[in-house]
Amino acid sequence: DAGITQSPRYKITETGRQVTLMCHQTWSHSYMFWYRQDLGHGLRLIYYSAAADITDKGEVPDGYVVSRSKTENFPLTLESATRSQTSVYFCASTDLTYEQYFGPGTRLTVT
Amino acid sequence: TQLLEQSPQFLSIQEGENLTVYCNSSSVFSSLQWYRQEPGEGPVLLVTVVTGGEVKKLKRLTFQFGDARKDSSLHITAAQPGDTGLYLCAGARTGYDYKLSFGAGTTVTVRA
């Protein structure tokens, strides 16, 4: 049972480039979330999705785009990466409870 | 400004000692969760508390939800090196679409 996976696990990109982080879950959970984790800030919600084709902004959505054409996938795109988007990104899912299950994270460095 | 304030930010203790981590807010939560995160991995849920005054025990870990449902604590008895990690509290509020608000975390190091 794979659960929730993220790819790539590590990514280095240059300022201004577009980059997409992938998230896939095998549980058919309704809700999926994208967080970024930075020292001193804990986990901050970027975007979330209640179901396929339903997405909404979280606390820090600027500079990010999401889509959810299938229940199991929730990609996060940085349209024009900036150094301030250097962070560790976590995807999570839940099925109508408050207990979230997290992926292993993607460490993104923008140079 | 974080909705949930955790303290202390860092905690380093010797194996066998006890420790307590606090999670406080001015907001009322319908439930509160504690996660543990190890380096290079995602957070893993430890416990969910839903009733004011509730106490839950998980082996050497004791979790308490405040009577007013605004705060929580995590107490570890006789800490072991395997307890080392980042502890995060997260609160859920009714009507907020299953979103969680996370504290900044407490980094616990247990020295052998």
Side-chain angles (χ1 to χ4, degrees), chain A residues 5-18:
Chain A
T5 56
Q6 293 184 236
S7 61
R9 292 295 314 276
Y10 303 91
K11 177 74 176 178
I12 299 174
T13 191
E14 295 177 342
T15 300
R17 289 193 180 265
Q18 182 180 83

Side-chain angles (χ1 to χ4, degrees), chain A residues 9 31 37 41 48 98-99, chain B residues 2 33 35 37 40 48 97:
Chain A
R9 292 295 314 276
Y31 278 78
Q37 186 173 40
H41 290 280
Y48 71 103
Y98 291 102
E99 300 176 354
Chain B
Q2 306 235 197
Q33 300 168 6
Y35 292 80
Q37 184 180 14
T48 300
D97 216 5

Side-chain angles (χ1 to χ4, degrees), chain A residues 9 31 33 35 37 40-43 45 48 50 56-57 59 90 94 96-105, chain B residues 2 9 30-31 33 35 37 40-43 45 48 86 88 92-95 97-100 102-105:
Chain A
R9 292 295 314 276
Y31 278 78
F33 306 84
Y35 295 91
Q37 186 173 40
H41 290 280
L43 289 161
L45 182 64
Y48 71 103
D56 207 347
K57 295 178 180 179
E59 182 185 353
F90 288 98
T94 187
L96 303 181
T97 77
Y98 291 102
E99 300 176 354
Q100 295 187 11
Y101 297 87
F102 286 81
Chain B
Q2 306 235 197
Q9 187 176 359
S30 57
S31 68
Q33 300 168 6
Y35 292 80
Q37 184 180 14
E41 299 181 8
L45 180 68
T48 300
L86 175 67
L88 295 158
R93 291 182 290 171
T94 304
D97 216 5
Y98 298 101
K99 292 185 292 186
L100 296 175
F102 281 85

Side-chain angles (χ1 to χ4, degrees), chain A residues 29-86:
Chain A
H29 282 172
S30 302
Y31 278 78
M32 296 187 74
F33 306 84
W34 273 107
Y35 295 91
R36 59 178 291 172
Q37 186 173 40
D38 305 289
L39 197 62
H41 290 280
L43 289 161
R44 291 183 291 175
L45 182 64
I46 304 170
Y47 268 96
Y48 71 103
S49 169
D53 298 321
I54 301 174
T55 62
D56 207 347
K57 295 178 180 179
E59 182 185 353
V60 289
D62 293 344
Y64 303 94
V65 174
V66 294
S67 62
R68 195 166 176 208
S69 57
K70 293 183 178 180
T71 300
E72 60 267 30
N73 296 323
F74 191 36
L76 175 74
T77 298
L78 287 66
E79 293 188 300
S80 178
T82 65
R83 289 196 182 90
S84 65
Q85 293 177 310
T86 291

